[in-house]
Amino acid sequence: MIHNPQIECMPREEMRKLQSERLIKTVKTCYEKVPFYKRKMDELGVKPEDIRSIDDISKLPFTTKYDLRDEYPFNLQAVPMTDVRRIHASSGTTGKPVVDTYTENDLKNWSEGVARVMAAGDIGPGDIVQVSYGYGLFTGGLGAHEGAAVRGAVQLPTSAGNTEKQIMLMQDFGSTALACTPSYAMRLAEAIHNSDVVSIDNMKLRAGFFGAEPWTEGMRHELEEKLHIKAYDIYGLTEMSGPGVGGECEYQDGTHLWEDMFYPEIINPDTLEPVAPGEFGELVFTSLCKEAMPILRYRTRDLTRLIYEPCRCGRTAVRMDRILGRSDDMLIIRGVNVFPSQIEACLTEFPAFQPYYFITVDRVSNEDTFDLDVELKLPYFSYAPEKQMPFLKPLYDRIVSMVGIKPNIHIQPPMAIERSIGKAKHVLDKRKFKD
Ligand code: ADP
Ligand code: ZN
């Protein structure tokens, strides 16, 4: 089902016109109301009048996470606090969190973006959407909550954690949709299957909206099978309001980006030049509707590519490929670039393994070490090396061929790897403490 056909299926020429109008307005506001943007544009010698259409976007300065930190908390705000209705902040792994503030309209647009994703999963009145993203400063909980509200669905704000109670309510209330991180969805699926109290056969789940961290096709299949649902990707970031910057349609073939609100570009992170259409690079967004904290050419550090071919669903909104990871999640091990999501992709090819893993990287005698903890599912698990070997060897070979380096794999007993209720932590890089 399409939530807003007029926008989601708008002819591309018309969309460019809309984007142009909105960009001109956004740039003018940024220049006049936010000293940071005036300074940056003056440095580049760009005036708001130089921006006459969306084609002029490359004249504008980039904004980075460091800029947001320097302008913490409210220096990038373009409206007085009397116009603001909400403040959110991302976890911010180091230092100060990233802050976003919202006017009434910003909140409306944000939930519209989420509603478009949920509509693709046919969510509407009568649906019970269990929101197991964390509620609080994190945008996941309230973002999914308000999106479900726009669809006229029942909001079930369980938040993240308290897993046993979650699955009980899921069954007793008859939740039809689940919104959470893919890691937590996996944890819930596992709890359901291990439970004596609930059974997936007594549940009414049919759709899952998973995001806030990278996940793979393998993980999708696993979740769809275990939870008896169709699993949709939902993408977003605090800097662009939160989840619902885009999402998958019923064809699950790329994540549509809501380009009327966020203009996407892909750049080469080294040269900062746009890549050729369809090539991989860093995703950059310019907000086209945000009032409280408009943002110009924000470098997300997310690595992906854009797909411009029309989608079978009829939406004209551009699609993006799965996010490989953030550039800061990329590990360089023995000179080879490794994304944790590649390990997940390998792992999920082998049904005997759980999709849980933990990578430990270290440097010993000037050489990088790459240790990988994985879990075998119950009937296959054994402490005996000769019983582990038939499972271990194919996984090892697959990782060597796909990633290009040799892992030191350790098979752990069931439940040994930590389960996450939010964004999973997959890596410990001990080299960081040695430099
Ligand atoms: P934090 O920076 O603290 O993680 P956010 O919740 O704002 O805070 O995180 C946004 C980031 O989460 C995105 O930039 C992206 O890296 C990741 N992300 C969000 N949704 C997805 C998704 N569907 N697939 C992959 N990565 C995602
Ligand atoms: Zn589509």
Side-chain angles (χ1 to χ4, degrees):
M1 182 183 306
I2 300 183
H3 179 74
N4 187 342
Q6 201 206 336
I7 290 283
E8 292 173 64
C9 306
M10 186 176 267
R12 303 231 21 113
E13 270 316 298
E14 222 175 292
M15 176 57 72
R16 283 193 85 75
K17 256 175 64 193
L18 182 68
Q19 290 169 330
S20 296
E21 276 163 30
R22 290 180 173 178
L23 179 69
I24 291 166
K25 191 162 164 233
T26 297
V27 170
K28 193 163 176 293
T29 306
C30 284
Y31 192 82
E32 286 169 6
K33 306 283 185 195
V34 185
F36 166 83
Y37 288 117
K38 179 170 190 306
R39 203 169 62 237
K40 294 264 270 194
M41 285 174 62
D42 285 346
E43 270 166 30
L44 289 180
V46 195
K47 292 267 171 279
E49 307 81 80
D50 297 329
I51 307 301
R52 269 162 296 195
S53 86
I54 197 77
D55 297 323
D56 294 320
I57 197 156
S58 54
K59 295 180 182 161
L60 293 168
F62 289 106
T63 308
T64 66
K65 188 178 65 167
Y66 303 102
D67 295 325
L68 302 194
R69 294 234 168 101
D70 291 346
E71 303 301 318
Y72 172 90
F74 303 132
N75 288 350
L76 294 178
Q77 200 168 283
V79 299
M81 218 30 123
T82 44
D83 288 345
V84 171
R85 295 293 177 271
R86 179 97 62 80
I87 303 173
H88 277 280
S90 79
S91 45
T93 32
T94 49
K96 299 277 191 196
V98 165
V99 175
D100 199 6
T101 66
Y102 308 70
T103 64
E104 194 79 48
N105 262 333
D106 291 337
L107 290 171
K108 217 174 108 240
N109 287 331
W110 177 20
S111 37
E112 153 95 19
V114 179
R116 291 183 198 168
V117 185
M118 290 193 174
D122 276 336
I123 298 304
D127 274 299
I128 299 179
V129 181
Q130 184 157 342
V131 181
S132 310
Y133 284 110
Y135 279 66
L137 285 176
F138 174 51
T139 54
L142 283 166
H145 183 101
E146 301 285 355
V150 170
R151 291 299 304 158
V154 181
Q155 305 118 59
L156 178 58
T158 48
S159 195
N162 219 339
T163 304
E164 296 307 316
K165 188 167 172 196
Q166 294 253 1
I167 59 175
M168 181 186 81
L169 299 184
M170 191 181 278
Q171 175 167 295
D172 295 349
F173 295 175
S175 305
T176 56
L178 172 66
C180 60
T181 63
S183 307
Y184 194 46
M186 203 59 205
R187 167 79 190 93
L188 287 165
E190 188 174 44
I192 293 168
H193 284 268
N194 293 340
S195 167
D196 303 325
V197 183
V198 302
S199 154
I200 194 68
D201 296 326
N202 297 332
M203 299 213 181
K204 296 209 178 92
L205 276 189
R206 59 180 181 78
F209 301 96
F210 305 135
E213 62 181 358
W215 56 307
T216 57
E217 275 310 300
M219 187 67 128
R220 187 212 301 279
H221 293 139
E222 194 120 5
L223 288 170
E224 291 192 330
E225 197 183 308
K226 288 210 166 99
L227 290 170
H228 299 185
I229 56 170
K230 203 162 162 176
Y232 299 87
D233 183 48
I234 177 165
Y235 169 82
L237 60 165
T238 311
E239 297 85 331
M240 301 298 135
S241 294
V245 170
E248 275 177 335
C249 66
E250 53 277 28
Y251 290 97
Q252 299 171 305
D253 190 14
T255 299
H256 286 281
L257 295 175
W258 308 136
E259 289 178 276
D260 55 314
M261 298 197 255
F262 308 100
Y263 184 79
E265 300 171 83
I266 303 280
I267 61 162
N268 174 325
D270 299 322
T271 64
L272 305 185
E273 292 296 324
V275 300
E279 273 183 22
F280 272 91
E282 179 179 346
L283 182 60
V284 169
F285 281 115
T286 300
S287 73
L288 298 176
C289 294
K290 278 174 104 231
E291 293 176 340
M293 274 201 191
I295 188 158
L296 302 182
R297 302 191 85 198
Y298 180 65
R299 293 185 56 185
T300 63
R301 296 161 290 138
D302 289 330
L303 302 173
T304 183
R305 69 188 186 100
L306 295 179
I307 305 162
Y308 287 97
E309 288 84 60
C311 182
R312 285 168 287 169
C313 69
R315 289 173 185 82
T316 49
V318 71
R319 285 171 292 159
M320 83 177 174
D321 210 335
R322 272 188 186 281
I323 304 238
L324 199 53
R326 293 192 215 191
S327 47
D328 21 356
D329 291 338
M330 189 182 80
L331 293 160
I332 304 180
I333 308 174
R334 295 171 212 146
V336 177
N337 298 350
V338 182
F339 283 97
S341 60
Q342 293 175 294
I343 301 298
E344 181 182 297
C346 292
L347 210 49
T348 51
E349 287 176 14
F350 299 92
F353 283 102
Q354 294 279 20
Y356 303 105
Y357 62 97
F358 196 84
I359 299 169
T360 310
V361 188
D362 200 354
R363 192 179 301 125
V364 180
S365 326
N366 275 325
E367 207 180 312
D368 290 339
T369 59
F370 172 29
D371 288 275
L372 176 63
D373 289 340
V374 293
E375 271 181 33
L376 273 174
K377 288 179 187 160
L378 246 193
Y380 311 109
F381 175 73
S382 161
Y383 282 102
E386 69 278 9
K387 293 211 171 124
Q388 294 185 348
M389 218 22 153
F391 298 107
L392 208 150
K393 183 74 174 68
L395 177 66
Y396 175 90
D397 289 343
R398 184 71 184 113
I399 292 174
V400 172
S401 79
M402 182 156 164
V403 184
I405 48 166
K406 297 175 179 167
N408 193 7
I409 302 179
H410 311 276
I411 293 184
Q412 302 291 352
M415 303 304 283
I417 297 174
E418 198 187 327
R419 300 338 190 211
S420 163
I421 63 166
K423 298 179 189 239
K425 193 176 171 306
H426 292 294
V427 179
L428 175 62
D429 191 344
K430 293 186 177 165
R431 296 173 303 184
K432 281 190 185 152
F433 311 113
K434 294 186 168 170
D435 292 332

